[in-house]
């Protein structure tokens, strides 16, 4: 283990075959072409985080065949978690096997697998809920902000991420210009 929880998180993700890239503490990508330059190479990860341990590891969602439903919980704004649970209850969407990450602001990320290249928007989801998919990214579980707050898995497992339910997919818009979907490239 290193002295950087962010390096440890990045290495743990790489060890299960996920490609990561560094983001600044404000969640903006630290590198250009982040989707193409995400890596699972442990030497590259170690070099990146040893020189900048405050960087947050991020995952290119669509490149891993993921759709991440981002439910925000912010003051004076719609409660995305409450809205998402209501939507799922209305549509009979079972979240019992969901892979869920709690964000530092008490929001939730719900991870699903898909082969459809969905875009990054709320689609027709209720206010307070966004979608991260093809061409989008999320800060990875295990990432720790400079103030000590972190992204942490609260339900599910990486090897059991459920398929995006059709009833939920109906609210998302496929990415029109997706063409050939990109996959995270293997390290050189």
């Amino acid at each position: 283990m290193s002295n950087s929880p962010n390096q440890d998180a990045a290495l743990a993700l790489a060890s299960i075959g996920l490609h990561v890239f560094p983001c600044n503490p404000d969640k903006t990508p630290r590198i250009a072409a982040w989707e193409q330059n995400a890596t699972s190479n442990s030497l590259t990860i170690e070099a990146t985080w040893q020189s900048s341990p405050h960087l947050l590891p991020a995952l290119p969602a669509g490149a891993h065949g993921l759709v991440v439903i981002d439910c925000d919980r912010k003051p004076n704004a719609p409660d995305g978690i409450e809205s998402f649970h209501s939507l799922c209850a209305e549509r009979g969407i079972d979240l019992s096997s969901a892979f869920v990450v709690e964000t530092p602001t008490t929001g939730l990320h719900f991870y699903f697998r898909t082969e459809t290249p969905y875009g990054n928007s709320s689609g027709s989801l209720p206010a307070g809920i966004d979608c991260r998919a093809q061409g989008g990214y999320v800060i990875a579980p295990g990432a720790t902000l400079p103030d000590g707050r972190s992204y942490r898995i609260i339900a599910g497992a990486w090897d059991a991420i459920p398929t995006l339910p059709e009833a939920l997919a109906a609210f998302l818009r496929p990415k029109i210009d997706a063409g050939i979907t990109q996959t995270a490239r293997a390290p050189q």
Side-chain angles (χ1 to χ4, degrees):
M1 300 237 350
S2 72
N3 290 330
S4 168
N6 291 320
Q7 178 180 311
D8 294 340
L11 288 170
L13 293 165
S15 75
I16 59 172
L18 295 171
H19 291 75
V20 298
F21 66 93
C23 278
N24 296 305
D26 67 358
K27 302 191 287 187
T28 57
R30 179 66 172 251
I31 60 173
W34 49 265
E35 192 169 25
Q36 295 77 22
N37 290 315
T39 185
S40 62
N41 182 295
S42 61
L43 295 177
T44 300
I45 290 169
E46 287 174 359
T48 298
W49 272 274
Q50 282 176 356
S51 63
S52 301
H54 64 282
L55 296 176
L56 305 173
L59 294 169
H64 287 295
L66 298 172
V67 167
V68 179
I69 304 299
D70 179 4
C71 302
D72 290 328
R73 192 171 259 169
K74 295 179 180 171
N76 305 315
D79 186 326
I81 296 171
E82 184 179 301
S83 297
F84 187 62
H85 282 294
S86 294
L87 172 77
C88 290
E90 289 170 11
R91 301 294 174 144
I93 299 169
D94 180 14
L95 295 175
S96 63
S97 64
F99 182 81
V100 186
V101 173
E102 184 179 52
T103 71
T105 57
T106 69
L108 297 177
H109 290 169
F110 291 84
Y111 285 60
F112 298 97
R113 296 219 176 270
T114 185
E115 292 182 16
T116 303
Y118 292 103
N120 297 300
S121 74
S122 59
S124 58
L125 291 166
I129 307 172
D130 290 312
C131 174
R132 303 287 177 254
Q134 195 68 36
Y137 65 91
V138 291
I139 302 302
T144 302
L145 297 174
D147 65 9
R149 294 177 299 143
S150 65
Y151 291 75
R152 59 188 190 90
I153 298 169
I154 60 170
W158 283 111
D159 60 352
I161 295 175
T163 300
L164 180 68
E166 285 299 320
L168 186 53
F171 288 90
L172 306 179
R173 294 186 189 110
K175 189 167 182 165
I176 303 294
D177 63 346
I180 299 171
T181 58
Q182 295 179 350
T183 57
R185 67 173 178 80
Q188 299 284 323

